Amino acid sequence: MFCQRQIRIQQHFLLHDKLCFLEWQAHNNAVFDLAWMEKEEKLLTASGDQTAVLWDVKTSQKLETFKGHTSSIRSVAFRKFDDSVLATGSRDGHIMLWDKRLNHKDGAIPAYNTIKNAHVISSAKQKKKNRLGPALDSQQSVTVVTFQDENLLISAGAVDGFIKVWDLRKNYTNISTEPMSRYVFPYSGNCQRRHGYSCLTLDSYNSTLYASCTDDVIYVYDVITYNQQPVKTIRGHKNTTFYIKTSLSPDNKFLLSGSSDEMAYIWQVDKTNNSPVILKGHNAEVTSVAWCPHDMTKVSN
């Protein structure tokens, strides 16, 4: 789905054993992330055209456009228990919060809260790189956002090495200085330079966070205590891009990850030192992965 402009939906009809495809042109640039609206057949897309769009899947109709970023949007997420509110993270370095119930402005819904420069390396380096244009974007990009609950948003960036937890009861829009998150998980790896994160996955209890880092390690954090040190690390796969995703099984016992080495990996989360199950068959980087929510024996990758 990444780096394509079209959306393709595949549905399997059990009674007729047929595949049904829906496909439409969603954006004028690459689609970088997707999020399904809970309990409704609506899909949110994030694109390199600097917009997020909500779609009616049955009709392929555009329902809402969310506009305000100045660079490509790399991640989208709905708030838990309230699909009217969503968050986006962009290559422009900002996190934006949106409410689809707000009035339109110039044909699109504007953001109601903006966390500016959420993962900039430092203010001093920022001033120097402001003259670099697109080079600055790549240094401050917000690569992933996910809601822990209705008030807390977790985010990660491309190079600063931090995972941050934001309290959304605070209005960040008018803050001119570097915004302060409620909690921070600093980079825990052994590399001399900090690395970014391609995916943040929470368990069903919203208590354990699996953070897939571009140093080929998945760091596991306790997001009840917010202890800055990971409770464990998971190794075995390769992650050299920001497209590698992870997924937990419905019972929270197994973690599935894509990999840059053309394979997918499955670990038992309480025995991560054991060798993972390796899924072969691809001839390119394995990016998006998912467990079937109704059948533990089926995964997609």
Side-chain angles (χ1 to χ4, degrees), residues 33 45 56 71 117 133 160 168 183-184 242 253 263 276 282 292:
D33 199 16
T45 56
D56 184 321
S71 192
N117 303 318
D160 71 332
L168 300 182
Y183 304 104
V184 176
F242 290 103
K253 292 183 178 180
M263 294 180 283
H282 288 277
C292 175

Side-chain angles (χ1 to χ4, degrees), residues 57-255:
V57 172
K58 288 184 177 180
T59 63
S60 306
Q61 179 182 356
K62 181 186 293 187
L63 301 176
E64 300 290 356
T65 300
F66 305 89
K67 188 175 182 180
H69 283 292
T70 58
S71 192
S72 59
I73 300 176
R74 311 311 294 261
S75 181
V76 291
F78 283 109
R79 184 162 75 177
K80 294 183 183 296
F81 315 117
D82 182 4
D83 284 338
S84 295
V85 177
L86 56 119
T88 55
S90 171
R91 202 168 184 263
D92 62 15
H94 308 324
I95 297 170
M96 290 188 175
L97 284 300
W98 319 77
D99 190 327
K100 67 184 184 67
R101 296 165 294 193
L102 294 180
N103 292 329
H104 292 71
K105 181 180 179 180
D106 298 327
I109 294 177
Y112 73 86
N113 197 356
T114 301
I115 306 172
K116 300 177 182 178
N117 303 318
H119 288 275
V120 172
I121 297 177
S122 73
S123 299
K125 292 182 179 181
Q126 164 102 1
K127 292 179 181 179
K128 182 178 180 180
K129 290 177 180 177
N130 272 339
R131 300 187 297 271
L132 301 180
L136 173 63
D137 282 350
S138 65
Q139 292 296 312
Q140 67 177 14
S141 177
V142 179
T143 54
V144 57
V145 293
T146 187
F147 283 90
Q148 183 178 358
D149 58 30
E150 60 269 25
N151 294 319
L152 297 177
L153 180 77
I154 308 176
S155 70
V159 295
D160 71 332
F162 292 117
I163 298 170
K164 298 184 179 183
V165 183
W166 305 93
D167 188 339
L168 300 182
R169 290 167 291 193
K170 181 178 181 180
N171 189 337
Y172 295 91
T173 301
N174 296 324
I175 297 176
S176 58
T177 58
E178 187 172 325
M180 297 295 294
S181 56
R182 184 170 179 178
Y183 304 104
V184 176
F185 297 99
Y187 177 61
S188 300
N190 297 320
C191 298
Q192 291 185 348
R193 72 175 182 88
R194 295 172 180 175
H195 283 258
Y197 295 87
S198 62
C199 188
L200 300 173
T201 300
L202 283 163
D203 68 358
S204 61
Y205 304 107
N206 297 323
S207 62
T208 304
L209 177 70
Y210 297 84
S212 185
C213 186
T214 55
D215 63 0
D216 302 334
V217 181
I218 298 172
Y219 297 94
V220 186
Y221 293 98
D222 183 334
V223 287
I224 297 298
T225 65
Y226 296 103
N227 188 319
Q228 291 188 343
Q229 295 301 313
V231 296
K232 65 177 70 175
T233 57
I234 301 174
R235 291 175 167 83
H237 72 309
K238 295 293 182 183
N239 185 354
T240 59
T241 72
F242 290 103
Y243 301 113
I244 303 299
K245 306 301 179 182
T246 57
S247 176
L248 271 173
S249 61
D251 62 1
N252 300 306
K253 292 183 178 180
F254 299 92
L255 182 71

